[in-house]
Amino acid sequence: MHIPDGYLGPITYIALFIIMVPIWLYAGYRVRKDLRSKQVPLLALSAAFTFVIMMFNVPIPGGSTGHAVGGAIIGIILGPWAAIVSISVALIIQAFVFGDGGITAIGANCFNMGVVMPIVGYYTYKLISGNSDIKSVRRIAAAVIAGYLSLVIASGFAGFEFGIQPYLYPAVNGQFPYMPYDLSVTLPAMLGEHILFFGVLEALITGLVFVYFQRNTPELLENKKSKKAMLDKVPV
């Protein structure tokens, strides 16, 4: 899913940087406003978690890679705004330190994996789980479906960003300056791999992590009010 340098033209990557700036600012504001000091270690752990599982990349035809991200489970546990912060931090470190994802594509990668995934995952989970008991099987199913959909939809965004490059930057002397494949190639390539394999992997990881929290610290999966009350009882 990491988009390297040279695959997106300036129109696309600058636009996504511009979109991401207010999202980062608002996410930072919401984290400072909503996240309690006792949840800060969880935020750090979530960034480390997504950093590690994203390092296991499998190349996808066309130049990108496929892997699990953990965006949905982080959104479910900490909320989508905290997830945006933690995943963005992990992606920026990967780009600058490990060359995993392009510097010019940071805005695009943060949008696809850091914004689309936790928002889709969080609201899918909320919609399916409803008011069911926190320890119910329905909650597990909601988390699994949320994990799957979040990664598949994010891959669709990446495929779309790849596929519009030939239209934005047509070939000059037979050479395309950026991604040469149009939407008829990039969307099936990205969606196909993620529908059949990586989405299933993401769903499995989301389900396993959810079950762990469900059995050991179900309070962290409760709604914000219940979670806050629980954290207030935890000694510092």
Side-chain angles (χ1 to χ4, degrees):
M1 189 90 73
H2 290 68
I3 300 175
D5 285 321
Y7 284 75
L8 302 181
I11 294 175
T12 309
Y13 67 70
I14 290 175
L16 287 165
F17 262 118
I18 292 172
I19 290 171
M20 281 307 302
V21 168
I23 294 176
W24 281 324
L25 291 174
Y26 185 70
Y29 163 76
R30 288 297 302 266
V31 167
R32 289 193 300 274
K33 179 175 179 286
D34 299 336
L35 207 68
R36 300 177 69 77
S37 60
K38 290 161 186 169
Q39 289 176 288
V40 172
L42 273 179
L43 182 66
L45 281 174
S46 69
F49 168 71
T50 188
F51 180 92
V52 170
I53 64 173
M54 284 195 290
M55 293 299 287
F56 296 95
N57 290 318
V58 177
I60 291 178
S64 186
T65 57
H67 51 77
V69 176
I73 189 63
I74 297 173
I76 291 169
I77 295 172
L78 291 176
W81 299 110
I84 289 170
V85 171
S86 66
I87 297 172
S88 293
V89 168
L91 287 168
I92 291 169
I93 292 174
Q94 286 179 334
F96 278 102
V97 179
F98 296 95
D100 195 7
I103 303 298
T104 60
I106 283 176
N109 286 326
C110 287
F111 180 80
N112 298 335
M113 290 180 275
V115 175
V116 173
M117 285 197 67
I119 288 179
V120 171
Y122 176 78
Y123 286 105
T124 301
Y125 169 78
K126 296 285 286 184
L127 179 66
I128 297 175
S129 62
N131 294 320
S132 60
D133 186 83
I134 199 65
K135 293 190 175 181
S136 66
V137 175
R138 180 175 170 180
R139 293 269 179 171
I140 300 173
V144 168
I145 294 170
Y148 181 81
L149 283 181
S150 66
L151 189 66
V152 169
I153 292 175
S155 73
F157 273 90
F160 177 79
E161 292 153 13
F162 282 136
I164 61 174
Q165 300 313 304
Y167 307 110
L168 295 174
Y169 302 95
V172 178
N173 297 325
Q175 296 290 323
F176 286 95
Y178 300 104
M179 169 59 77
Y181 305 112
D182 63 21
L183 292 169
S184 67
V185 175
T186 59
L187 279 177
M190 290 299 294
L191 286 172
E193 299 268 1
H194 287 84
I195 287 172
L196 296 174
F197 180 70
F198 297 111
V200 177
L201 179 63
E202 182 79 19
L204 179 63
I205 291 172
T206 304
L208 290 174
V209 175
F210 185 89
V211 169
Y212 174 84
F213 278 96
Q214 192 184 45
R215 292 182 177 178
N216 294 282
T217 52
E219 299 86 355
L220 289 174
L221 303 172
E222 296 279 7
N223 59 41
K224 188 186 295 183
K225 187 176 179 180
S226 302
K227 192 184 295 184
K228 187 178 292 185
M230 182 279 297
L231 287 167
D232 286 340
K233 295 177 183 175
V234 177
V236 178

